[in-house]
Amino acid sequence: MTVKLSSSILASLPPRVAGPKYDRAALKAGIVHFGVGNFHRSHQAVYLDDLFNAGVGHDWALVGAGVFEGEKVGRGKLQEQDWLTTVVEQDTGHMSARVTGVMIDFLMPGDAVAIIERLADPAIRIVSLTITEGGYFIDPASGVFNPTHPDIVADAEPGAMPKTVFGIILAGLMRRREDGIVPFTIMSCDNIPHNGHVTSDGVIGLARLIDEDLATWVSENVAFPNGMVDRITPATTDRERGILSSEFGLDDNWPVFCEPFRQWVLEDHFTDGRPPLEKVGVQFVSDVAPYEVMKIRILNGGHATIAYPAGLMDIHFVHEAMQEPLVRGFLAKLEHVEIIPTVPPVPDTVLEDYYQLIEHRFSNPKIGDTIRRLCLDGSNRQPKFIIPTIADRLKAGKSVAGLALESALWCRYCFGTTDSGAVIEPNDPSWDRLQTTAKAAKEAPAAWLAMEDIYGDVGRSAPFVEAFAHALKALWADGARATLARYLADDL
């Protein structure tokens, strides 16, 4: 016997499902969030739910927003259940479910007029973002905002109705400027180094194309706090819906499954107040950078390290990859020899302890995270999670053999077949380009590194070019399994 999630059953949820302890009807919107996906609903929304359950911050409820047609599907699923989400935490010997009620509206994705109208409302004091690494119009090689992107150029045209997140946000700021309303804070919750600065570059860069005075006003009056966010949250499939139904007796169109661990480190820099999230575990600090570098290099770089060899070995789940000694050994060796030594000290943190935590989290057999998810969007992720580490190693005159192997594994994956010959379906916005380049690189490895927008100076470094070519030739000659074995034996 199961019940369908909706506001009408909150008072009679199944026995093992926790529900909101607050009156949702009394909540008031304070945050507009772009990118209502699984990570946002397992992270920011859960912190707010904890805060609201403590009887605090009820004027900081969430309103969803988006710019893409595909986001209408998720909106429809949530609308059917009154914007509620079931969050299931899973680890060995632990599984719990809760319903969060912090979202009280979700504007129609792409409806710029309605979204701008809401952004102009003085009650909205924060605009937050989880729009993925690819949503910031960054040139991958330089890491700098690209003002020549066609979508940005279109939004800068006089009288244009904006279609990008940055264009809509800027239009909302312009309305507030005209009306004499304090501007909202713009808070990125994406896995990007210096995400506040990157967001600032995008919004101000677009403003500069429109009006230099507007750009100056934004830079002087709008806060863009940097933040580090962390919680492993896989995509939702019928598997997750089935577990929720059978284990907890609850039917949810779009539940979120995640690990118990979560972390949020945030600069305390806001223009018009903020929720007291320190009451529910958010770390407010003056400088997020050390935490960002640690997380992006050790965790996200670690994900990239296990993703491509596991993909080539036809391994489906992340925890299964960690059960494969070659993959687990590759992660441990590459982290300890090449990645962790590039991470500066982090306050109150032992880097080896952090790595052990990462290894434990990757090994979680309950989470159902997939290798394909980790392999997704390498063209945007590699320049943020791996290539800066290579650059630092090269600058220090240190070996890059393991990092070159990681890059070669990505190239081999983008060829489009596993070592068994199984077809790898397109898994990157630039898949056609990557596959064409990977095919050329089979005979001429330097072709892969010639992708200037991804590799930049690293792709021209003789030691890296040599190490990459050697690793890629080994992968083609012997396969991922044998190549990893040689690397672990110091024989590559």
Side-chain angles (χ1 to χ4, degrees), residues 363-384:
S363 303
N364 184 344
K366 295 288 188 178
I367 196 64
D369 203 5
T370 65
I371 290 297
R372 182 170 172 82
R373 185 186 80 87
L374 301 195
C375 291
L376 172 70
D377 202 15
S379 61
N380 277 303
R381 292 178 174 181
Q382 290 278 315
K384 298 172 182 66

Side-chain angles (χ1 to χ4, degrees), residues 76-297:
K77 290 177 178 178
L78 293 175
Q79 185 177 29
E80 284 182 21
Q81 53 200 46
D82 305 316
W83 319 121
L84 297 166
T85 290
T86 312
V87 179
V88 179
E89 295 181 3
Q90 284 190 301
D91 202 346
T92 305
H94 166 80
M95 184 161 61
S96 63
R98 66 192 287 183
V99 173
T100 64
V102 297
M103 177 177 284
I104 59 173
D105 195 6
F106 191 157
L107 304 169
M108 186 61 71
D111 186 348
V113 172
I115 298 172
I116 293 166
E117 191 65 34
R118 185 60 72 97
L119 295 178
D121 181 351
I124 300 302
R125 289 158 286 163
I126 293 175
V127 173
S128 54
L129 313 170
T130 47
I131 54 176
T132 76
E133 298 85 4
Y136 287 81
F137 301 98
I138 304 165
D139 173 67
S142 67
V144 174
F145 173 68
N146 176 15
T148 66
H149 191 285
D151 292 351
I152 293 295
V153 172
D155 272 8
E157 289 292 325
M161 180 59 68
K163 294 184 179 178
T164 69
V165 170
F166 291 163
I168 291 173
I169 287 174
L170 188 59
L173 286 171
M174 291 166 70
R175 280 278 303 276
R176 293 173 82 109
R177 183 190 186 198
E178 291 165 8
D179 297 343
I181 300 167
V182 176
F184 43 72
T185 295
I186 303 174
M187 181 176 71
S188 171
C189 300
D190 276 300
N191 276 318
I192 299 175
H194 317 300
N195 56 13
H197 296 319
V198 169
T199 309
S200 169
D201 288 347
V203 176
I204 295 171
L206 174 57
R208 188 163 286 121
L209 296 177
I210 297 170
D211 175 52
E212 191 66 42
D213 287 343
L214 174 63
T216 301
W217 178 84
V218 173
S219 66
E220 292 178 351
N221 292 278
V222 181
F224 296 87
N226 291 299
M228 184 271 264
V229 296
D230 192 5
R231 189 172 218 183
I232 296 172
T233 310
T236 302
T237 68
D238 287 342
R239 170 186 179 271
E240 284 72 36
R241 279 183 280 268
I243 291 172
L244 179 62
S245 179
S246 62
E247 294 287 334
F248 293 97
L250 187 62
D251 288 333
D252 184 326
N253 291 325
W254 195 17
V256 174
F257 279 57
C258 55
E259 63 175 339
F261 178 89
R262 56 184 153 112
Q263 187 177 17
W264 193 0
V265 185
L266 193 56
E267 285 178 352
D268 201 352
H269 178 44
F270 293 78
T271 54
D272 192 20
R274 62 166 176 81
L277 290 165
E278 67 277 9
K279 295 180 183 294
V280 289
V282 176
Q283 298 167 258
F284 284 97
V285 298
S286 58
D287 184 13
V288 175
Y291 300 89
E292 286 180 329
V293 172
M294 175 182 71
K295 190 258 178 174
I296 283 169
R297 295 198 177 188

Side-chain angles (χ1 to χ4, degrees), residues 410-455:
W410 176 44
C411 173
R412 171 65 186 85
Y413 177 89
C414 292
F415 186 87
T417 58
T418 69
D419 280 348
S420 72
V423 172
I424 297 171
E425 296 298 328
N427 202 20
D428 193 287
S430 302
W431 185 258
D432 290 346
R433 174 203 183 194
L434 294 176
Q435 189 170 37
T436 299
T437 309
K439 288 178 177 178
K442 184 178 180 182
E443 303 302 328
W448 185 257
L449 303 183
M451 291 189 291
E452 178 81 18
D453 57 320
I454 293 175
Y455 283 97

